Amino acid sequence: MSSPYKVSGESMRSSGGLRYYLQQYWQDFGDQRTNGLPLIREGPWAMIFVMSLYLLFVRKVGPRMMKHRDPYQLRLPMLAYNTAMVAINYYFFFQSLLWLDYGRGLANFKWPDGHDRSERTMGYIWSFYLYWLTKFLDLLDTVFFVLRKKYTQITPLHLYHHTVVPILGWMYLWHRWGSPAITLFALLNSAVHVVMYSYYALAAFGPRIQKYLWWKRYITQIQLIQFALLCLYGFVIYSYQQNYPPFAFWLAASK
């Protein structure tokens, strides 16, 4: 069976040089199971445009707009947003357990089969695609920081995480869905976000609830545990992997 990822010279010639790499290349070389999905089929350009607008707003436009304004309180919008994000991440935490077959999938060290179109696999691909879309909703918490003039919370690490995750998620969906390392990230990241957005939702009630939020200091520790677990599993995959391309480990390291 010929590979669905092989780029044909005829296709490149018919599309014409640079135009081919801007458009048709992403259809020819990507995972044929996902290249019809919105924001995937167009290549990375729509996603890059969204991320560029995000960085432009939080680094330049937003602070300039707020320079002579009082910070917005946004208590109700933040409460609604953070409550919704708790529910969303709670849902995808359990979806991730299904993707990993309740942990058994972590023992699969083979590079995923790009030809698997079983109903189960296609269902998982669709649900992971929805999970990836929620990473754009995560960007709104930075927007709230800007509008509330909480600039100290917009750290380089915060911006790096919020920028890199949607990009890597796109590459994962575009090239080959199914690596348990990325699915483990979704599982742990969803769990961390349930805790984090729960804190933000409760904090939106104001000072009277602050005394009950003593566990805030543990959020950073939980994030570090997530990082350590992902690094450990990455080492396991690197040691036992079968046919993983080198770029897969570069992507994992960038996260």
Side-chain angles (χ1 to χ4, degrees):
M1 181 181 294
S2 62
S3 170
Y5 311 108
K6 185 177 180 180
V7 181
S8 69
E10 181 181 350
S11 178
M12 184 167 62
R13 286 192 298 271
S14 63
S15 298
L18 179 61
R19 182 183 173 188
Y20 170 79
Y21 286 105
L22 289 175
Q23 298 178 358
Q24 190 60 37
Y25 169 84
W26 307 99
Q27 290 284 320
D28 289 346
F29 199 65
D31 190 325
Q32 299 300 300
R33 301 168 299 176
T34 61
N35 66 7
L37 296 172
L39 295 180
I40 304 296
R41 64 186 173 215
E42 299 88 353
W45 315 120
M47 179 266 300
I48 290 174
F49 178 71
V50 171
M51 300 312 301
S52 298
L53 287 180
Y54 164 72
L55 291 173
L56 181 64
F57 178 82
V58 300
R59 298 297 292 175
K60 297 292 184 181
V61 176
R64 187 174 300 172
M65 180 184 75
M66 295 300 298
K67 186 175 182 179
H68 301 295
R69 288 182 169 91
D70 292 332
Y72 293 102
Q73 295 302 313
L74 301 175
R75 183 169 297 175
L76 288 178
M78 286 182 58
L79 178 60
Y81 168 75
N82 288 306
T83 301
M85 293 304 289
V86 169
I88 288 170
N89 281 279
Y90 188 80
Y91 170 78
F92 281 112
F93 173 79
F94 286 100
Q95 279 294 306
S96 301
L97 286 175
L98 292 177
W99 299 335
L100 287 171
D101 195 17
Y102 297 97
R104 288 185 288 270
L106 294 173
N108 181 8
F109 303 118
K110 295 180 180 179
W111 182 238
D113 178 10
H115 299 97
D116 182 2
R117 289 180 175 268
S118 66
E119 182 178 353
R120 181 171 182 263
T121 296
M122 296 305 292
Y124 287 172
I125 289 175
W126 172 250
S127 59
F128 186 87
Y129 170 71
L130 296 179
Y131 167 77
W132 173 68
L133 291 179
T134 69
K135 298 300 102 183
F136 294 99
L137 293 179
D138 284 340
L139 305 182
L140 290 177
D141 69 353
T142 320
V143 174
F144 285 132
F145 288 152
V146 171
L147 297 178
R148 296 169 64 223
K149 302 181 82 166
K150 300 286 187 179
Y151 300 126
T152 57
Q153 298 191 51
I154 308 176
T155 63
L157 183 60
H158 174 94
L159 287 178
Y160 178 81
H161 173 79
H162 277 54
T163 304
V164 166
V165 169
I167 293 173
L168 293 186
W170 184 91
M171 296 180 74
Y172 177 60
L173 282 164
W174 169 71
H175 187 265
R176 187 73 63 85
W177 182 90
S179 170
I182 302 297
T183 311
L184 179 62
F185 167 80
L187 176 75
L188 297 176
N189 187 248
S190 295
V192 170
H193 278 191
V194 167
V195 176
M196 184 182 72
Y197 284 116
S198 294
Y199 167 78
Y200 287 149
L202 292 170
F205 284 101
R208 67 180 183 276
I209 203 73
Q210 292 295 326
K211 62 182 179 180
Y212 300 109
L213 301 180
W214 51 267
W215 44 273
K216 172 188 176 182
R217 62 182 179 271
Y218 294 112
I219 294 177
T220 300
Q221 296 178 26
I222 293 172
Q223 291 172 322
L224 292 175
I225 291 172
Q226 171 194 259
F227 177 75
L229 289 174
L230 289 170
C231 287
L232 177 62
Y233 185 68
F235 178 76
V236 171
I237 281 197
Y238 182 78
S239 301
Y240 295 100
Q241 57 86 17
Q242 300 176 35
N243 301 318
Y244 268 65
F247 83 87
F249 298 103
W250 178 84
L251 289 178
S254 65
K255 177 61 192 76

